[in-house]
Amino acid sequence: MANHINFLLVVAAFGAYYYIQQSLQPTQKTVIVVGGGLAGASAAIEAHSEGSRVIILEKEKDLGGNSAKASSGINGVGSVAQKEKGVEDDVKKFVGDVVESGHGLADEQLVQILAEQSASAIQFLTSHGVNLDVLAQLGGHSSPRTHRPSPPKDKPPVNVGFAIMRALKEYIADLPEEEATVIKHAHVTQLLTDDKNGKKRVKGVVYKNQEGNDVEVKGDAVILTTGGYSFNTKMLEKFAPHVAHLSTTNGDFALGEGIDLAAPLSPSLRLMDQVQVHPTCFVDVNDLNSRRRFLAPEALRGSGGILLNHKGERFANELGLRDYVTKQIFQQQQEEEGPATAFLLLSEEAVEIFQRPNLKFYKFKKLVREFEGGVREFAEEFNLPVERVIESIVKYQKQKEEGQDEFGKKTFPASFNVDSPVHAMVITPCIHYTMGGLQISKNGEVLDSSLEPIKGLFAAGEVTGGVHGANRLAGNSLLECTVFGRLAGENASK
Ligand SMILES: Cc1cc2nc3c(=O)[nH]c(=O)nc-3n(C[C@H](O)[C@H](O)[C@H](O)COP(=O)(O)OP(=O)(O)OC[C@H]3O[C@@H](n4cnc5c(N)ncnc54)[C@H](O)[C@@H]3O)c2cc1C
């Protein structure tokens, strides 16, 4: 009998212990991520590693967004690549560059986080198998800190954004379905909210599925990672009418929908009039007025490419900030109709620095042409004054050797020689990135118009506004997506 009672007591004690343990375990959170670019993928991976169940809703047929198009690189200070190459750089210098580039409008608290977390962001990506071993010093940066992969020896090269998205997509796809669910063709149209003590709290979303039916998904937090509004002419006309007529490098999914989704909750919007026009977008001479253009990557100028106008003259420091170079190109416009164009030339040395295989795609698309007869042949082909073009090249080379450039260029990555083959492309400025968007706290929470966090709502990536101020530095968007995506994923899981 006594044994029997003892046995029952032991069972009861175990039962009570188990019950208490269970009730002490925080219940698993469900985090809904709207948009499957780099910010969304980073948020989802981090939320999952914090123990949340994640659901990624993407309106397109695959994850990727504009993130998969990125071609110049991602910034990082204190990375393995910087250490291996003996680059002297630090967080303070990086913060200084971002703040200066943002013309006083950058949110310095967010900039500090961006720079401090940059090495960890690079490490996060390399730990998922992304090779980021090549470093470049791009316009507005005071050190080489923009990372991209070297082209593989046995396979065609892919751009940095594609390489990153491929790795993160594979990682997410390998997670158990009940822990991480990806729903494609899921167009989120509404946030679900409830009222708690008179305060609205986000509890889920409604999305339209491929069959056109509305589906509700409930969760503990929603992270908006829907990207920018470069393809939304109406939004541009409202907030940035001065650029609304320009073409863009962005996909047609870049409609600023995260901003519309949050609108019923009166979010604080920052810098909606700040739109980055990239100085160098490829012009297809057979489709001069195209709405969408391929980006002529920043790394082309970072590798030593030089710009010439239609008179065959240089007119700018090619490594100046994007807004400066853009302005200089617009000032060269000769025709009243059509886009303002200029020429970007790469010497053989610049091609080697850019890495020849990386030009293959653009040559295939006939956006880059090689002139084996050198700049003379290039000038004749484009009806430029041949002697003036030669003069410009000779002058540039002399200034490079003397370290004194008439436009204030301080680093000269590549030499030019009049008789060597040259690669040439026609470029024009076009809309590339929207700096404006939802204002977020340092924890990635979306702030309302009183600057209070909206409960249950987070955001990261290009849908947010503030970190870049009036002008984004090359390589800082992929970094922003990784840093603030992870931060939002972590905090949404708390
Ligand atoms: C050609 C090009 C080159 C670039 N190169 C660089 C570079 O080298 N370095 C750099 O730092 N930055 C670069 N950028 C900028 C950078 O790639 C993007 O700004 C950044 O990747 C945006 O990431 P994101 O995750 O915020 O948005 P995106 O990657 O655009 O992803 C947003 C996703 O949300 C989805 N979505 C939108 N609305 C909804 C909705 N309502 N429901 C469901 N899904 C929705 C979209 O379909 C999309 O897939 C480049 C941009 C372009 C266009």
Side-chain angles (χ1 to χ4, degrees), residues 34-40 57-60 62-75 146 160 186-189 225-228 249-251 253-255 257-258 261 293-295 322 432-433 460-463 472-481:
V34 184
L38 178 55
L57 300 170
E58 166 56 54
K59 68 176 176 174
E60 296 290 304
D62 199 2
L63 307 188
N66 280 318
S67 304
K69 297 177 191 289
S71 49
S72 287
I74 172 166
N75 301 328
T146 309
V160 58
H187 190 171
V188 175
T189 52
T225 51
T226 49
T249 57
N250 280 217
F253 45 78
L255 297 175
E257 288 176 61
L261 287 169
R293 299 189 193 279
F294 283 105
L295 178 75
R322 287 178 177 175
H432 184 51
Y433 183 87
E462 198 174 341
V463 70
R472 175 176 71 83
L473 274 181
N476 262 359
S477 178
L478 293 180
L479 178 61
E480 165 192 33
C481 290

Side-chain angles (χ1 to χ4, degrees), residues 43-220:
I45 291 173
E46 199 63 30
H48 175 264
S49 75
E50 290 292 316
S52 293
R53 173 177 187 229
V54 291
I55 301 170
I56 303 179
L57 300 170
E58 166 56 54
K59 68 176 176 174
E60 296 290 304
K61 66 174 189 294
D62 199 2
L63 307 188
N66 280 318
S67 304
K69 297 177 191 289
S71 49
S72 287
I74 172 166
N75 301 328
V77 169
S79 66
V80 172
Q82 271 197 334
K83 284 184 189 142
E84 278 176 2
K85 292 175 175 68
V87 173
E88 282 187 23
D89 199 6
D90 58 49
V91 166
K92 198 167 164 215
K93 256 168 79 173
F94 187 17
V95 168
D97 289 346
V98 180
V99 170
E100 189 182 336
S101 155
H103 302 311
L105 292 178
D107 180 328
E108 294 195 23
Q109 187 185 37
L110 298 182
V111 176
Q112 192 67 33
I113 296 171
L114 183 84
E116 277 170 6
Q117 297 296 320
S118 63
S120 146
I122 300 283
Q123 156 69 20
F124 169 79
L125 296 174
T126 52
S127 75
H128 283 93
V130 186
N131 171 23
L132 293 170
D133 58 342
V134 177
L135 275 180
Q137 179 169 352
L138 303 185
H141 289 281
S142 53
S143 289
R145 61 168 81 103
T146 309
H147 300 63
R148 67 177 197 272
S150 50
K153 290 194 176 62
D154 48 345
K155 287 185 244 160
V158 292
N159 64 37
V160 58
F162 186 87
I164 290 174
M165 284 312 301
R166 182 174 58 191
L168 300 192
K169 267 183 344 189
E170 279 172 12
Y171 176 82
I172 293 168
D174 283 347
L175 294 173
E177 168 72 17
E178 65 281 10
E179 293 177 19
T181 311
V182 178
I183 308 178
K184 297 172 188 168
H185 296 291
H187 190 171
V188 175
T189 52
Q190 192 192 330
L191 297 181
L192 295 171
T193 54
D194 65 10
D195 256 299
K196 202 173 179 191
N197 307 328
K199 276 243 164 203
K200 282 228 177 338
R201 186 188 166 87
V202 176
K203 294 299 291 177
V205 302
V206 178
Y207 74 85
K208 216 169 249 322
N209 67 13
Q210 206 170 359
E211 290 71 45
N213 300 320
D214 286 335
V215 183
E216 277 193 9
V217 188
K218 297 266 174 65
D220 299 285

